[in-house]
Amino acid sequence: MKILVTGGTGYIGSHTVVELQHKGYEVVIVDNHSNSSAEIADKIADISGTKPTLEIFDLADQALTADFFKRNKDLKGIIHFAAYKAVGESVAEPLMYYRNNLVSLMNILEGMKENNIPNLVFSSSCTVYGQPDELPVSEKAPIKFAESPYGNTKQISEEIIRDTLHASELNAIALRYFNPIGAHDSSIIGELPLGIPNNLVPFITQTAIGLRESLSVFGDDYETPDGTAIRDYIHVVDLAKAHVVAVSRMIDSNMNQKFEIFNLGTGIGYSVLDVIKSFEKVSGLKLNYKIVDRREGDITKVWANPDFSNEVLGWKAERDLDNMVDTAWKWEQAYRGKTIASSH
Ligand code: UD1
């Protein structure tokens, strides 16, 4: 059972490859290493004992993608992670985001159609809900006007998939992630952003390891219990397992309709200060942070209603916030080859 994982050397992709291999799937990765590196395939092998096949090219290149599919007609499914994902960068470089995220998706869908590869799992985001009117947010909530070109690429991608499915024999599952954090229990793979991290948890762990001076908490005047913004953080391994469930559901022809959409969250919202407290608890360290102005484009609060995924996929997020933060911190120390002793 051969599965293509695009972006398979990236953060969520690499954790998903490991879970697929655990379930006996053969994995082919396509990645252009725009935000990752080839050594991740070796790290995957260190965990699973099997090195996935790795092809390095850009899926936005139509000819190369068509050629790849011609050589891989025996694929049973595709999990498509490869995309740009930095909100701020997408505001500065919208065309780069539209070209990369949309053209690659269209090339993949064309390859699927031409070679009769029926099953696609697509990496979507809770960003499609914007600031929801009701919380927790279910899959039935309306799609809001996108706050960023990045968010818009996720909305448009879901539409491209829906229209393509309507006119073909293809099936797809879109998984709308809330906030993936944490790392593999082995501490061999984790989240390694290039340059200064945009996201909260890598910024926390890089501050604690001494790479950053201090964490800026973006706003403490939100309408939330402690004034900081609330998100639904989910462990990357829980998220990875949901992808295996989704692709197996398609291969086993268990879908209720040809396009299914699921939230992937825990259903619990935590504030920025909750995450900091969890970090201080699991690490035994005092984190250096300061409150600054709100970050443009941030919403106040969002957390998932995961009932539909729990019931229909038979999947449930299992790990709690302390475990997410603990695995992220252990990974950061392992990666940097440094152990920071607890101060108490
Ligand atoms: C954003 C996107 C999400 C995308 C994800 C991946 C939106 C609304 N969300 O999530 O779709 O998948 O990035 O890149 O577009 N924070 C700080 N200090 C920091 C960093 C973050 O206080 O240095 C706060 C933020 O204000 C936010 C929370 O931490 O309240 C989480 O931020 P972040 O990790 O960047 O994720 P989102 O913005 O929620």
Side-chain angles (χ1 to χ4, degrees):
M1 286 277 198
K2 195 162 106 180
I3 307 290
L4 164 64
V5 180
T6 77
T9 53
Y11 173 45
I12 307 174
S14 58
H15 288 81
T16 300
V17 172
V18 168
E19 296 306 318
L20 284 165
Q21 291 177 325
H22 279 328
K23 291 284 179 196
Y25 287 102
E26 179 192 346
V27 177
V28 181
I29 294 175
V30 172
D31 202 303
N32 66 357
H33 296 330
S34 68
N35 194 22
S36 64
S37 65
E39 65 171 24
I40 302 296
D42 297 317
K43 294 191 174 196
I44 290 170
D46 290 344
I47 299 173
S48 68
T50 309
K51 188 166 174 184
T53 306
L54 174 61
E55 293 209 20
I56 303 166
F57 67 89
D58 190 342
L59 290 153
D61 185 314
Q62 193 171 11
L64 291 179
T65 306
D67 175 68
F68 169 84
F69 279 108
K70 264 192 221 121
R71 291 184 284 110
N72 289 275
K73 287 178 191 285
D74 56 339
L75 286 168
K76 295 288 176 260
I78 296 166
I79 306 182
H80 178 40
F81 292 105
Y84 293 154
K85 59 152 198 172
V87 175
E89 183 184 55
S90 79
V91 174
E93 297 285 349
L95 290 176
M96 185 174 107
Y97 269 66
Y98 287 116
R99 179 177 300 280
N100 185 63
N101 292 6
L102 301 181
V103 174
S104 59
L105 173 66
M106 291 188 281
N107 288 342
I108 289 167
L109 287 166
E110 258 161 16
M112 291 173 70
K113 269 180 70 179
E114 271 159 31
N115 298 286
N116 299 315
I117 301 161
N119 302 317
L120 176 72
V121 178
F122 177 69
S123 199
S124 190
S125 168
C126 70
T127 193
V128 302
Y129 300 122
Q131 175 61 68
D133 301 324
E134 280 175 40
L135 288 169
V137 61
S138 85
E139 294 82 351
K140 294 199 178 72
I143 302 298
K144 292 275 178 72
F145 186 78
E147 294 276 353
S148 69
Y150 157 74
N152 209 18
T153 67
K154 294 298 177 190
Q155 295 189 4
I156 297 170
S157 292
E158 286 192 6
E159 288 168 10
I160 290 173
I161 292 168
R162 182 175 290 109
D163 290 344
T164 307
L165 264 45
H166 185 73
S168 70
E169 297 297 313
L170 306 182
N171 305 305
I173 293 180
L175 299 174
R176 292 178 178 161
Y177 315 150
F178 284 67
N179 286 55
I181 61 169
H184 195 264
D185 288 319
S186 63
S187 299
I188 293 174
I189 53 172
E191 185 173 9
L192 183 58
L194 290 183
I196 301 171
N198 293 306
N199 297 112
L200 178 62
V201 170
F203 210 107
I204 290 177
T205 55
Q206 289 197 11
T207 302
I209 207 90
L211 282 175
R212 314 276 155 216
E213 182 74 31
S214 141
L215 169 76
S216 296
V217 173
F218 297 135
D220 68 349
D221 56 351
Y222 284 104
E223 276 178 41
T224 61
D226 66 21
T228 63
I230 294 178
R231 299 286 183 274
D232 184 337
Y233 296 93
I234 175 169
H235 198 292
V236 67
V237 171
D238 278 332
L239 197 75
K241 287 179 177 167
H243 289 76
V244 181
V245 172
V247 85
S248 308
R249 175 178 174 82
M250 304 181 94
I251 291 169
D252 297 343
S253 304
N254 284 333
M255 295 177 78
N256 295 331
Q257 45 196 34
K258 59 194 299 175
F259 190 25
E260 295 181 330
I261 295 179
F262 297 101
N263 281 345
L264 296 184
T266 63
I268 305 169
Y270 287 108
S271 72
V272 177
L273 292 180
D274 289 332
V275 179
I276 294 173
K277 274 184 216 136
S278 169
F279 177 78
E280 292 187 331
K281 183 172 124 194
V282 301
S283 68
L285 300 171
K286 182 89 195 67
L287 185 75
N288 196 14
Y289 71 90
K290 58 179 186 295
I291 309 288
V292 301
D293 286 348
R294 292 180 179 194
R295 180 171 69 178
E296 202 186 335
D298 270 348
I299 58 167
T300 302
K301 51 187 173 179
V302 66
W303 60 92
N305 179 340
D307 290 352
F308 187 63
S309 319
N310 296 168
E311 282 158 26
V312 179
L313 284 181
W315 162 92
K316 201 171 189 317
E318 285 168 358
R319 291 158 178 255
D320 63 17
L321 181 65
D322 287 349
N323 180 269
M324 299 178 211
V325 173
D326 186 40
T327 52
W329 177 228
K330 289 199 168 104
W331 176 81
E332 186 79 56
Q333 293 175 92
Y335 182 75
R336 308 286 169 194
K338 246 176 155 180
T339 306
I340 311 285
S342 154
S343 50
H344 57 249

